[in-house]
């Protein structure tokens, strides 16, 4: 799929509509439709009762409805469109099938929900891997290869380690992977065996990307793919990134890949983006903007050497050079 097919396509319309269909149910449950029928809901209203304690979810729902043309933004306020006014009279149809039968829909998706995130981790990992292989991995490999690694490459949150193995094979360097999931580490043993057959040193261990443990002076490049938005709040995330300079004292680069929330001007149908924003909002998470990510990088004590837009919407690679403290 070409990059421009993520937007302005029948698939984008279908995907955005599917996200909005669920958002309609949540909007009715939390009273957003009742509020919108009376008056526009201003963005500042979300920071006050009755939305204050549910503001992240409410904002995510409104953004999903905005993407589908159910609400529009006017003068920093959300109001129902003609479609939204008509849809509000038919909310019961959405609630019947997407609300009343939500558990039936969920049961028919393979995998067991994680007790912490309530997401089906195996589905997330498998689908993310397929998206990466189709749209991201070659770009990521080329970026890492351009850094001319001269030591071990460490992947924090390596999953099944297929990407790490490809990087090691391309660059001829050893690899070290960490993942907090025991099942991911077990799956990664297939990559470890493949590496051994290729004569590549690859080690995958269970570990937390926010606290990888003892010093690793042999690591030359550290990478972290699509997980920085899970590390919050900003001051904690900055502290985690800063700690990598002690854990990997000789690493020349930290390479971060992640997705950011789009600017307010992005409102139309799109493949991938509406799901990223909406599902994270339901989890109480607010993905950072690209400006917030750049600020975080500076606060963590890194110099951004290169920022590269990836083909997946609102996703970037940042090549960071650690600023060493002296004295």
């Amino acid at each position: 799929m070409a990059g421009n097919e993520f937007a302005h396509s029948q698939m984008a319309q279908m995907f955005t509509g599917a996200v909005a269909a669920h958002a309609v149910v949540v909007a009715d449950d939390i009273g957003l439709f009742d509020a919108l029928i009376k008056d526009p809901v201003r963005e500042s209203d979300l920071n006050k009762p009755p939305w204050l304690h549910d503001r992240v979810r409410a904002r995510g729902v409104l953004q999903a409805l905005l993407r589908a043309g159910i609400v529009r933004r006017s003068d920093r306020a959300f109001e129902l469109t003609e479609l939204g006014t008509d849809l509000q009279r038919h909310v019961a149809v959405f609630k019947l099938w997407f609300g009343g039968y939500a558990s039936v829909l969920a049961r028919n998706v393979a995998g067991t929900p994680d007790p912490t995130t309530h997401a089906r981790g195996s589905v997330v990992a498998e689908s993310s891997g397929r998206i990466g292989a189709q749209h991201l991995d070659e770009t990521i490999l080329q970026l890492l290869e351009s850094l001319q690694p001269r030591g071990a490459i460490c992947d924090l949150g390596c999953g099944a380690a297929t990407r790490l193995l490809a990087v090691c094979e391309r660059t001829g360097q050893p690899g070290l992977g960490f993942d907090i999931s025991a099942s991911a580490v077990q799956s990664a043993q297939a990559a470890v065996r493949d590496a051994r057959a290729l004569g590549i040193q690859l080690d995958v261990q269970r570990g937390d990307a926010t606290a990888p443990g003892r010093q690793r002076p042999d690591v030359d490049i550290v990478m972290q793919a699509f997980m920085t938005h899970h590390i919050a709040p900003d001051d904690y995330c900055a502290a985690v990134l800063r700690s990598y300079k002690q854990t990997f004292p000789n690493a020349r680069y930290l390479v971060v890949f992640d997705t950011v929330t789009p600017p307010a001007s992005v409102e139309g149908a799109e493949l991938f983006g509406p799901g990223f924003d909406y599902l994270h909002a339901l989890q109480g998470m607010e993905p950072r903007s690209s400006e917030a990510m750049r600020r975080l990088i500076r606060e963590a004590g890194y110099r951004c050497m290169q920022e590269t837009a990836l083909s997946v919407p609102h996703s970037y690679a940042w090549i960071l050079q650690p600023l060493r403290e002296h004295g």
Side-chain angles (χ1 to χ4, degrees), residues 112-142:
T112 303
D114 181 89
T116 303
T117 65
H118 304 292
R120 284 169 161 74
S122 60
V123 179
V124 172
E126 189 268 341
S127 301
S128 298
R130 288 168 63 183
I131 292 170
Q134 188 173 1
H135 300 290
L136 299 170
D137 285 359
E138 183 56 33
T139 300
I140 291 173
L141 287 171
Q142 290 176 6

PDB file of all heavy atoms in Angstrom, residues 112-142:
ATOM      1  N   THR A 112      -6.157 -13.807  24.161  1.00  0.00           N
ATOM      2  CA  THR A 112      -6.659 -13.560  25.517  1.00  0.00           C
ATOM      3  C   THR A 112      -6.317 -12.142  25.933  1.00  0.00           C
ATOM      4  O   THR A 112      -5.170 -11.710  25.792  1.00  0.00           O
ATOM      5  CB  THR A 112      -6.023 -14.542  26.517  1.00  0.00           C
ATOM      6  OG1 THR A 112      -6.294 -15.881  26.079  1.00  0.00           O
ATOM      7  CG2 THR A 112      -6.574 -14.335  27.910  1.00  0.00           C
ATOM      8  N   PRO A 113      -7.286 -11.384  26.451  1.00  0.00           N
ATOM      9  CA  PRO A 113      -6.997 -10.007  26.859  1.00  0.00           C
ATOM     10  C   PRO A 113      -5.972  -9.955  27.989  1.00  0.00           C
ATOM     11  O   PRO A 113      -5.999 -10.782  28.904  1.00  0.00           O
ATOM     12  CB  PRO A 113      -8.362  -9.478  27.327  1.00  0.00           C
ATOM     13  CG  PRO A 113      -9.369 -10.392  26.709  1.00  0.00           C
ATOM     14  CD  PRO A 113      -8.706 -11.729  26.615  1.00  0.00           C
ATOM     15  N   ASP A 114      -5.087  -8.966  27.908  1.00  0.00           N
ATOM     16  CA  ASP A 114      -4.128  -8.738  28.983  1.00  0.00           C
ATOM     17  C   ASP A 114      -4.873  -8.125  30.164  1.00  0.00           C
ATOM     18  O   ASP A 114      -5.666  -7.195  29.984  1.00  0.00           O
ATOM     19  CB  ASP A 114      -3.032  -7.766  28.519  1.00  0.00           C
ATOM     20  CG  ASP A 114      -2.009  -7.515  29.597  1.00  0.00           C
ATOM     21  OD1 ASP A 114      -1.031  -8.263  29.677  1.00  0.00           O
ATOM     22  OD2 ASP A 114      -2.197  -6.545  30.368  1.00  0.00           O
ATOM     23  N   PRO A 115      -4.672  -8.646  31.390  1.00  0.00           N
ATOM     24  CA  PRO A 115      -5.438  -8.141  32.532  1.00  0.00           C
ATOM     25  C   PRO A 115      -5.161  -6.682  32.867  1.00  0.00           C
ATOM     26  O   PRO A 115      -5.981  -6.022  33.502  1.00  0.00           O
ATOM     27  CB  PRO A 115      -4.999  -9.060  33.683  1.00  0.00           C
ATOM     28  CG  PRO A 115      -3.701  -9.650  33.246  1.00  0.00           C
ATOM     29  CD  PRO A 115      -3.770  -9.746  31.762  1.00  0.00           C
ATOM     30  N   THR A 116      -4.006  -6.158  32.430  1.00  0.00           N
ATOM     31  CA  THR A 116      -3.659  -4.768  32.729  1.00  0.00           C
ATOM     32  C   THR A 116      -4.207  -3.820  31.680  1.00  0.00           C
ATOM     33  O   THR A 116      -4.874  -2.831  31.999  1.00  0.00           O
ATOM     34  CB  THR A 116      -2.136  -4.603  32.834  1.00  0.00           C
ATOM     35  OG1 THR A 116      -1.636  -5.499  33.824  1.00  0.00           O
ATOM     36  CG2 THR A 116      -1.772  -3.180  33.217  1.00  0.00           C
ATOM     37  N   THR A 117      -3.936  -4.100  30.428  1.00  0.00           N
ATOM     38  CA  THR A 117      -4.336  -3.197  29.347  1.00  0.00           C
ATOM     39  C   THR A 117      -5.704  -3.536  28.765  1.00  0.00           C
ATOM     40  O   THR A 117      -6.302  -2.713  28.080  1.00  0.00           O
ATOM     41  CB  THR A 117      -3.310  -3.231  28.211  1.00  0.00           C
ATOM     42  OG1 THR A 117      -3.310  -4.551  27.623  1.00  0.00           O
ATOM     43  CG2 THR A 117      -1.916  -2.908  28.721  1.00  0.00           C
ATOM     44  N   HIS A 118      -6.175  -4.772  29.011  1.00  0.00           N
ATOM     45  CA  HIS A 118      -7.427  -5.291  28.438  1.00  0.00           C
ATOM     46  C   HIS A 118      -7.350  -5.439  26.919  1.00  0.00           C
ATOM     47  O   HIS A 118      -8.366  -5.688  26.270  1.00  0.00           O
ATOM     48  CB  HIS A 118      -8.618  -4.412  28.827  1.00  0.00           C
ATOM     49  CG  HIS A 118      -8.777  -4.228  30.301  1.00  0.00           C
ATOM     50  ND1 HIS A 118      -9.128  -5.254  31.149  1.00  0.00           N
ATOM     51  CD2 HIS A 118      -8.589  -3.133  31.087  1.00  0.00           C
ATOM     52  CE1 HIS A 118      -9.173  -4.813  32.390  1.00  0.00           C
ATOM     53  NE2 HIS A 118      -8.846  -3.542  32.385  1.00  0.00           N
ATOM     54  N   ALA A 119      -6.170  -5.259  26.362  1.00  0.00           N
ATOM     55  CA  ALA A 119      -5.960  -5.486  24.931  1.00  0.00           C
ATOM     56  C   ALA A 119      -5.521  -6.924  24.720  1.00  0.00           C
ATOM     57  O   ALA A 119      -4.990  -7.571  25.633  1.00  0.00           O
ATOM     58  CB  ALA A 119      -4.901  -4.527  24.397  1.00  0.00           C
ATOM     59  N   ARG A 120      -5.760  -7.430  23.530  1.00  0.00           N
ATOM     60  CA  ARG A 120      -5.294  -8.772  23.180  1.00  0.00           C
ATOM     61  C   ARG A 120      -3.866  -8.649  22.660  1.00  0.00           C
ATOM     62  O   ARG A 120      -3.645  -8.327  21.492  1.00  0.00           O
ATOM     63  CB  ARG A 120      -6.243  -9.403  22.160  1.00  0.00           C
ATOM     64  CG  ARG A 120      -7.528  -9.894  22.788  1.00  0.00           C
ATOM     65  CD  ARG A 120      -8.565 -10.264  21.776  1.00  0.00           C
ATOM     66  NE  ARG A 120      -9.580 -11.137  22.359  1.00  0.00           N
ATOM     67  CZ  ARG A 120     -10.534 -10.740  23.202  1.00  0.00           C
ATOM     68  NH1 ARG A 120     -10.592  -9.471  23.564  1.00  0.00           N
ATOM     69  NH2 ARG A 120     -11.419 -11.603  23.685  1.00  0.00           N
ATOM     70  N   GLY A 121      -2.927  -8.888  23.563  1.00  0.00           N
ATOM     71  CA  GLY A 121      -1.521  -8.639  23.259  1.00  0.00           C
ATOM     72  C   GLY A 121      -1.015  -9.405  22.059  1.00  0.00           C
ATOM     73  O   GLY A 121      -0.235  -8.877  21.265  1.00  0.00           O
ATOM     74  N   SER A 122      -1.462 -10.648  21.906  1.00  0.00           N
ATOM     75  CA  SER A 122      -0.982 -11.444  20.778  1.00  0.00           C
ATOM     76  C   SER A 122      -1.463 -10.863  19.454  1.00  0.00           C
ATOM     77  O   SER A 122      -0.736 -10.870  18.458  1.00  0.00           O
ATOM     78  CB  SER A 122      -1.474 -12.894  20.916  1.00  0.00           C
ATOM     79  OG  SER A 122      -2.891 -12.953  20.944  1.00  0.00           O
ATOM     80  N   VAL A 123      -2.692 -10.319  19.446  1.00  0.00           N
ATOM     81  CA  VAL A 123      -3.222  -9.698  18.232  1.00  0.00           C
ATOM     82  C   VAL A 123      -2.480  -8.403  17.941  1.00  0.00           C
ATOM     83  O   VAL A 123      -2.130  -8.102  16.795  1.00  0.00           O
ATOM     84  CB  VAL A 123      -4.739  -9.434  18.377  1.00  0.00           C
ATOM     85  CG1 VAL A 123      -5.291  -8.772  17.111  1.00  0.00           C
ATOM     86  CG2 VAL A 123      -5.485 -10.726  18.656  1.00  0.00           C
ATOM     87  N   VAL A 124      -2.237  -7.619  18.986  1.00  0.00           N
ATOM     88  CA  VAL A 124      -1.493  -6.370  18.821  1.00  0.00           C
ATOM     89  C   VAL A 124      -0.099  -6.642  18.253  1.00  0.00           C
ATOM     90  O   VAL A 124       0.347  -5.996  17.301  1.00  0.00           O
ATOM     91  CB  VAL A 124      -1.385  -5.618  20.167  1.00  0.00           C
ATOM     92  CG1 VAL A 124      -0.444  -4.415  20.042  1.00  0.00           C
ATOM     93  CG2 VAL A 124      -2.758  -5.162  20.632  1.00  0.00           C
ATOM     94  N   ALA A 125       0.592  -7.624  18.835  1.00  0.00           N
ATOM     95  CA  ALA A 125       1.952  -7.928  18.396  1.00  0.00           C
ATOM     96  C   ALA A 125       1.974  -8.435  16.953  1.00  0.00           C
ATOM     97  O   ALA A 125       2.796  -8.001  16.136  1.00  0.00           O
ATOM     98  CB  ALA A 125       2.578  -8.960  19.330  1.00  0.00           C
ATOM     99  N   GLU A 126       1.060  -9.354  16.640  1.00  0.00           N
ATOM    100  CA  GLU A 126       1.046  -9.939  15.296  1.00  0.00           C
ATOM    101  C   GLU A 126       0.680  -8.893  14.248  1.00  0.00           C
ATOM    102  O   GLU A 126       1.318  -8.782  13.198  1.00  0.00           O
ATOM    103  CB  GLU A 126       0.050 -11.107  15.259  1.00  0.00           C
ATOM    104  CG  GLU A 126       0.080 -11.940  13.980  1.00  0.00           C
ATOM    105  CD  GLU A 126      -0.895 -11.450  12.932  1.00  0.00           C
ATOM    106  OE1 GLU A 126      -1.845 -10.718  13.291  1.00  0.00           O
ATOM    107  OE2 GLU A 126      -0.704 -11.775  11.745  1.00  0.00           O
ATOM    108  N   SER A 127      -0.325  -8.081  14.537  1.00  0.00           N
ATOM    109  CA  SER A 127      -0.761  -7.066  13.578  1.00  0.00           C
ATOM    110  C   SER A 127       0.292  -5.967  13.422  1.00  0.00           C
ATOM    111  O   SER A 127       0.558  -5.505  12.308  1.00  0.00           O
ATOM    112  CB  SER A 127      -2.090  -6.459  14.030  1.00  0.00           C
ATOM    113  OG  SER A 127      -3.085  -7.446  14.149  1.00  0.00           O
ATOM    114  N   SER A 128       0.882  -5.549  14.537  1.00  0.00           N
ATOM    115  CA  SER A 128       1.926  -4.525  14.475  1.00  0.00           C
ATOM    116  C   SER A 128       3.113  -5.021  13.655  1.00  0.00           C
ATOM    117  O   SER A 128       3.707  -4.254  12.881  1.00  0.00           O
ATOM    118  CB  SER A 128       2.387  -4.151  15.885  1.00  0.00           C
ATOM    119  OG  SER A 128       1.326  -3.594  16.629  1.00  0.00           O
ATOM    120  N   GLY A 129       3.444  -6.292  13.825  1.00  0.00           N
ATOM    121  CA  GLY A 129       4.537  -6.864  13.047  1.00  0.00           C
ATOM    122  C   GLY A 129       4.260  -6.846  11.558  1.00  0.00           C
ATOM    123  O   GLY A 129       5.138  -6.541  10.745  1.00  0.00           O
ATOM    124  N   ARG A 130       3.025  -7.154  11.187  1.00  0.00           N
ATOM    125  CA  ARG A 130       2.663  -7.155   9.767  1.00  0.00           C
ATOM    126  C   ARG A 130       2.673  -5.740   9.193  1.00  0.00           C
ATOM    127  O   ARG A 130       3.120  -5.513   8.056  1.00  0.00           O
ATOM    128  CB  ARG A 130       1.287  -7.796   9.589  1.00  0.00           C
ATOM    129  CG  ARG A 130       1.309  -9.305   9.798  1.00  0.00           C
ATOM    130  CD  ARG A 130      -0.071  -9.889   9.910  1.00  0.00           C
ATOM    131  NE  ARG A 130      -0.866  -9.714   8.693  1.00  0.00           N
ATOM    132  CZ  ARG A 130      -2.132 -10.108   8.591  1.00  0.00           C
ATOM    133  NH1 ARG A 130      -2.726 -10.686   9.635  1.00  0.00           N
ATOM    134  NH2 ARG A 130      -2.789  -9.939   7.475  1.00  0.00           N
ATOM    135  N   ILE A 131       2.192  -4.761   9.978  1.00  0.00           N
ATOM    136  CA  ILE A 131       2.235  -3.364   9.526  1.00  0.00           C
ATOM    137  C   ILE A 131       3.681  -2.922   9.358  1.00  0.00           C
ATOM    138  O   ILE A 131       4.048  -2.279   8.371  1.00  0.00           O
ATOM    139  CB  ILE A 131       1.501  -2.454  10.528  1.00  0.00           C
ATOM    140  CG1 ILE A 131      -0.002  -2.763  10.516  1.00  0.00           C
ATOM    141  CG2 ILE A 131       1.728  -0.978  10.190  1.00  0.00           C
ATOM    142  CD1 ILE A 131      -0.775  -2.100  11.640  1.00  0.00           C
ATOM    143  N   GLY A 132       4.519  -3.287  10.329  1.00  0.00           N
ATOM    144  CA  GLY A 132       5.930  -2.923  10.249  1.00  0.00           C
ATOM    145  C   GLY A 132       6.614  -3.517   9.037  1.00  0.00           C
ATOM    146  O   GLY A 132       7.332  -2.830   8.317  1.00  0.00           O
ATOM    147  N   ALA A 133       6.365  -4.809   8.809  1.00  0.00           N
ATOM    148  CA  ALA A 133       7.006  -5.475   7.671  1.00  0.00           C
ATOM    149  C   ALA A 133       6.584  -4.849   6.344  1.00  0.00           C
ATOM    150  O   ALA A 133       7.382  -4.745   5.414  1.00  0.00           O
ATOM    151  CB  ALA A 133       6.661  -6.963   7.695  1.00  0.00           C
ATOM    152  N   GLN A 134       5.331  -4.419   6.259  1.00  0.00           N
ATOM    153  CA  GLN A 134       4.809  -3.883   5.007  1.00  0.00           C
ATOM    154  C   GLN A 134       5.184  -2.426   4.777  1.00  0.00           C
ATOM    155  O   GLN A 134       5.421  -2.011   3.638  1.00  0.00           O
ATOM    156  CB  GLN A 134       3.284  -4.030   4.991  1.00  0.00           C
ATOM    157  CG  GLN A 134       2.635  -3.678   3.655  1.00  0.00           C
ATOM    158  CD  GLN A 134       1.164  -4.008   3.639  1.00  0.00           C
ATOM    159  OE1 GLN A 134       0.610  -4.489   4.626  1.00  0.00           O
ATOM    160  NE2 GLN A 134       0.511  -3.757   2.522  1.00  0.00           N
ATOM    161  N   HIS A 135       5.245  -1.635   5.853  1.00  0.00           N
ATOM    162  CA  HIS A 135       5.349  -0.189   5.674  1.00  0.00           C
ATOM    163  C   HIS A 135       6.570   0.469   6.320  1.00  0.00           C
ATOM    164  O   HIS A 135       6.887   1.615   5.981  1.00  0.00           O
ATOM    165  CB  HIS A 135       4.106   0.496   6.244  1.00  0.00           C
ATOM    166  CG  HIS A 135       2.827   0.061   5.604  1.00  0.00           C
ATOM    167  ND1 HIS A 135       2.492   0.400   4.315  1.00  0.00           N
ATOM    168  CD2 HIS A 135       1.809  -0.696   6.077  1.00  0.00           C
ATOM    169  CE1 HIS A 135       1.311  -0.117   4.016  1.00  0.00           C
ATOM    170  NE2 HIS A 135       0.882  -0.799   5.065  1.00  0.00           N
ATOM    171  N   LEU A 136       7.226  -0.206   7.267  1.00  0.00           N
ATOM    172  CA  LEU A 136       8.221   0.497   8.082  1.00  0.00           C
ATOM    173  C   LEU A 136       9.619  -0.107   8.079  1.00  0.00           C
ATOM    174  O   LEU A 136      10.606   0.614   8.126  1.00  0.00           O
ATOM    175  CB  LEU A 136       7.726   0.560   9.538  1.00  0.00           C
ATOM    176  CG  LEU A 136       6.416   1.298   9.788  1.00  0.00           C
ATOM    177  CD1 LEU A 136       5.957   1.061  11.222  1.00  0.00           C
ATOM    178  CD2 LEU A 136       6.579   2.779   9.510  1.00  0.00           C
ATOM    179  N   ASP A 137       9.701  -1.430   8.087  1.00  0.00           N
ATOM    180  CA  ASP A 137      10.968  -2.073   8.426  1.00  0.00           C
ATOM    181  C   ASP A 137      12.109  -1.708   7.495  1.00  0.00           C
ATOM    182  O   ASP A 137      13.244  -1.499   7.948  1.00  0.00           O
ATOM    183  CB  ASP A 137      10.801  -3.594   8.478  1.00  0.00           C
ATOM    184  CG  ASP A 137      10.069  -4.040   9.740  1.00  0.00           C
ATOM    185  OD1 ASP A 137       9.726  -3.160  10.559  1.00  0.00           O
ATOM    186  OD2 ASP A 137       9.837  -5.247   9.899  1.00  0.00           O
ATOM    187  N   GLU A 138      11.859  -1.620   6.206  1.00  0.00           N
ATOM    188  CA  GLU A 138      12.952  -1.309   5.284  1.00  0.00           C
ATOM    189  C   GLU A 138      13.493   0.096   5.542  1.00  0.00           C
ATOM    190  O   GLU A 138      14.708   0.320   5.526  1.00  0.00           O
ATOM    191  CB  GLU A 138      12.484  -1.445   3.832  1.00  0.00           C
ATOM    192  CG  GLU A 138      13.597  -1.201   2.801  1.00  0.00           C
ATOM    193  CD  GLU A 138      14.807  -2.119   3.001  1.00  0.00           C
ATOM    194  OE1 GLU A 138      14.638  -3.268   3.433  1.00  0.00           O
ATOM    195  OE2 GLU A 138      15.946  -1.644   2.723  1.00  0.00           O
ATOM    196  N   THR A 139      12.601   1.046   5.818  1.00  0.00           N
ATOM    197  CA  THR A 139      13.045   2.406   6.148  1.00  0.00           C
ATOM    198  C   THR A 139      13.853   2.407   7.435  1.00  0.00           C
ATOM    199  O   THR A 139      14.908   3.052   7.526  1.00  0.00           O
ATOM    200  CB  THR A 139      11.835   3.346   6.296  1.00  0.00           C
ATOM    201  OG1 THR A 139      11.104   3.371   5.078  1.00  0.00           O
ATOM    202  CG2 THR A 139      12.276   4.756   6.645  1.00  0.00           C
ATOM    203  N   ILE A 140      13.371   1.670   8.440  1.00  0.00           N
ATOM    204  CA  ILE A 140      14.079   1.588   9.712  1.00  0.00           C
ATOM    205  C   ILE A 140      15.453   0.949   9.528  1.00  0.00           C
ATOM    206  O   ILE A 140      16.462   1.428  10.069  1.00  0.00           O
ATOM    207  CB  ILE A 140      13.227   0.804  10.734  1.00  0.00           C
ATOM    208  CG1 ILE A 140      11.993   1.617  11.128  1.00  0.00           C
ATOM    209  CG2 ILE A 140      14.053   0.433  11.968  1.00  0.00           C
ATOM    210  CD1 ILE A 140      11.003   0.873  12.003  1.00  0.00           C
ATOM    211  N   LEU A 141      15.515  -0.110   8.740  1.00  0.00           N
ATOM    212  CA  LEU A 141      16.799  -0.773   8.486  1.00  0.00           C
ATOM    213  C   LEU A 141      17.781   0.173   7.801  1.00  0.00           C
ATOM    214  O   LEU A 141      18.959   0.225   8.158  1.00  0.00           O
ATOM    215  CB  LEU A 141      16.582  -2.014   7.628  1.00  0.00           C
ATOM    216  CG  LEU A 141      15.922  -3.215   8.316  1.00  0.00           C
ATOM    217  CD1 LEU A 141      15.572  -4.279   7.290  1.00  0.00           C
ATOM    218  CD2 LEU A 141      16.818  -3.789   9.393  1.00  0.00           C
ATOM    219  N   GLN A 142      17.304   0.924   6.827  1.00  0.00           N
ATOM    220  CA  GLN A 142      18.174   1.853   6.116  1.00  0.00           C
ATOM    221  C   GLN A 142      18.680   2.957   7.037  1.00  0.00           C
ATOM    222  O   GLN A 142      19.855   3.349   6.968  1.00  0.00           O
ATOM    223  CB  GLN A 142      17.440   2.461   4.923  1.00  0.00           C
ATOM    224  CG  GLN A 142      17.182   1.474   3.786  1.00  0.00           C
ATOM    225  CD  GLN A 142      16.372   2.085   2.662  1.00  0.00           C
ATOM    226  OE1 GLN A 142      16.084   3.277   2.645  1.00  0.00           O
ATOM    227  NE2 GLN A 142      15.971   1.242   1.709  1.00  0.00           N
TER     228      GLN A 142
END
